[in-house]
Amino acid sequence: MSTYNFDYLDELEAEAIHILREVAGQFEKPALLFSGGKDSITLVRLAEKAFRPGKFPFPLVHIDTGHNFQETIDYRDKMIQRIGERLIVGSVQESIDQGKVVEQKGKNASRNALQTVTLLDTIAKYEFDACIGGARRDEEKARAKERIFSVRDEFGQWDPKRQRPELWNIYNGKIHKGENVRVFPISNWTELDVWNYIRREKIELPSIYFSHEREVITRNGQLMAASPFLNMDEEDFIFRKQVRFRTVGDMSCTAAVESEATLIDDIIDEISASKISERGARLDDKVSEAAMEDRKKGGYF
Amino acid sequence: MNILKFFTAGSVDDGKSTLIGRLLYDTDSILADQLEALQSSNRKNDDGTIDLAILTDGLRAEREQGITIDVAYKYFQTDKRKFIIADTPGHIQYTRNMVTGASTANLAIILIDARNGVVEQTIRHSYIVSLLGIKHVVVAINKMDMVDYSAEVYNTIIDKYKVLAQQLNLADVNYIPVSALKGDNIVQNSDRMDWYSGESLLHFLEKVDTDNLDKSQLARMPVQWVIRPQTEALHDYRGYAGRVLSGTFKLNDKVTILPSGASSTIEKIEFFDLTPVAAHAGQSVTLHLKDDVDISRGDTIVNASALPQESKLIEADLCWMDTRALDTSIMYLIQHNSKVTKCKISEILHKVDINTLEKHQADEFKLNDIGRVIVKTADALAFDLYDDNRANGSAVLIDSRTNLTVGALMFRAAVE
């Protein structure tokens, strides 16, 4: 018999705000990792709710692969202007130019894996001790076991065997110099929760989330946006399709799904009925059953 | 629609993973690509059907060893509720993981293998449920298919469990005969157990009133962050940001700030662009006070007419979570909500053999040990007893050498 209306989205929101404020209270130099995707856009909204009318106690950090959808970059710049917060961009192209990483070759080449190096360099350069990310436990089974405060060693590595117990709503953010913590305020949200929240809060999203006509090719059974960033040859056949993207990653590794969904309501209907989980549209997870676990151990988001 | 967080205790052998897999599978919560991975995996049941347990085995080491070694969180929803499952391993060497999973749950599912009845681990799991103060318990008597769906077997088990429930003070205990493997009484009511007139597990979970929100009158809000924009327009703005742990704060309520003991009145409650007249348990808000008092992170704003206890000496139940044993000669850090201070475990009162519930004297505390201790803190804590207010009656111990979380504390009494 609750005397006030506090539904599941309110509860998830309150939990996330609590976590963001713990970051502010416990760390010296936190940052919010912003990808331009709906999850990190949701984080920005939550940060507004946690800290307004004050400034965010952290900058936004975007690891730019150079292979982003232009729509994402446009969205990012417009949003930064609206919220008036600081943006730091870590450039994968710069890491390549400096010889720190080598561009992958072949048809399935993507800069997704290279991001890790740029991310770790950016963390080291600005001495970030906590990085807030939009990962959710429902995305993938390795994530299902990750803590909300997830400690990384100075090499950015996650050790699933050495995770700290996380009890009640108490988050232990104590670390040694060189270590940092990845913080996931929306760990307990599902994809559908995020969409329902975006609808409720009337949050604007990059246009690629909605149905549009685009030139695509078929790669490994999935639709990929035709772009200069994709290694294509004469076997690839470019055609036009009505598509949208369920996640915002690199153009080289984010698959499109056929969709007529032009409104958030359509998307929510589509997801409710959908039989492909979100990461299923990411080629980078398909490599092996333990792909995500391996990448997380190596310092990935 | 609200959220039910529940916790499952049980071992691989009880079919716990199969039970969770079955809940996810039968509520259509398994997505196509996960199902594909499942079908391409070479683990199958004896009859060739897919092994639903794979759905909850996350980490590679677990897949290799075929055991669950950590807490995995799983999500599903029906049109009535959103569910969060904390799935934990059941072996004694994973007691700390069970304690972790149980700490945030409002309901526990205790699995009993119908062939074995109440065994040592049933006692252990039930003890943890009672220790962590989970108010609602479902005892799922599983593998009914292996005992010919016998009412007699079921009744014998629940008679035995009732004795244990009484011993542990478990208040709301519900019994359901199930077969996770065959799907009996998980989502649909089984037609193979006409003698059982109760609900299926899922229907029960959908409607149980879990006191999701703490209904206690103990209004508490630890301050996490002070919002001070210090701009021209908001020069005097000073908002205390935090999450209401319990109770309700209303406009014009008299409040006390601890540890200073200063008094003030709530002038305004803010939530982003809203200014509600009350802030309730669970909500993250910003409070404004009428008086200019010195408040910082780690302080707690409480209802002036229902003060918490304040003490530097607290009797508490401790679950030890580190491979390095407790050292009563060194200082640890204690984290109680947003407050962190130094502490020592000044005395071990007893340890509990969680397989038999016997208490005995002890001078050491090792990984997975549970017992009663006295904590001596550098700064006084403003706390409530765990049974009265879970959120303000719990804390963790941190080893400052490693920064690891090494103990979970449930406050039972102020000493003096």
Side-chain angles (χ1 to χ4, degrees), chain A residues 28 34 71 79 81-82 110 181 186 232 246 260-261:
Chain A
E28 298 291 323
F34 182 80
E71 293 90 331
M79 186 203 73
Q81 211 161 32
R82 178 182 69 78
S110 136
V181 178
I186 58 168
M232 294 189 286
R246 294 186 68 180
E260 299 288 337

Side-chain angles (χ1 to χ4, degrees), chain A residues 94-153:
Chain A
E94 227 165 78
S95 302
I96 293 169
D97 295 344
Q98 291 165 355
K100 287 182 170 167
V101 290
V102 179
E103 192 104 60
Q104 290 180 356
K105 294 196 171 62
K107 260 197 154 181
N108 292 321
S110 136
R111 286 184 169 181
N112 196 51
L114 311 187
Q115 291 181 86
T116 302
V117 173
T118 312
L119 172 65
L120 296 181
D121 280 353
T122 308
I123 290 171
K125 180 175 169 191
Y126 293 93
E127 298 179 315
F128 293 130
D129 51 5
C131 295
I132 302 159
R136 306 187 318 270
R137 287 174 177 152
D138 83 318
E139 283 178 73
E140 211 274 339
K141 55 193 171 186
R143 291 217 201 265
K145 304 205 170 184
E146 188 160 11
R147 303 294 183 257
I148 288 173
F149 272 35
S150 183
V151 180
R152 304 299 167 97
D153 65 16

Side-chain angles (χ1 to χ4, degrees), chain B residues 257-270:
Chain B
I257 293 89
L258 296 171
S260 74
S263 307
S264 190
T265 306
I266 295 184
E267 185 178 58
K268 187 163 88 165
I269 300 169
E270 259 189 311

Side-chain angles (χ1 to χ4, degrees), chain A residues 19 54 100 131 142 157 201-202 217 250 270 275 277 294:
Chain A
I19 294 161
K100 287 182 170 167
C131 295
Q157 299 182 105
E201 298 289 317
K202 301 185 172 68
I217 63 161
D250 255 13
E270 193 184 283
K275 286 288 153 197
S277 83
D294 288 341

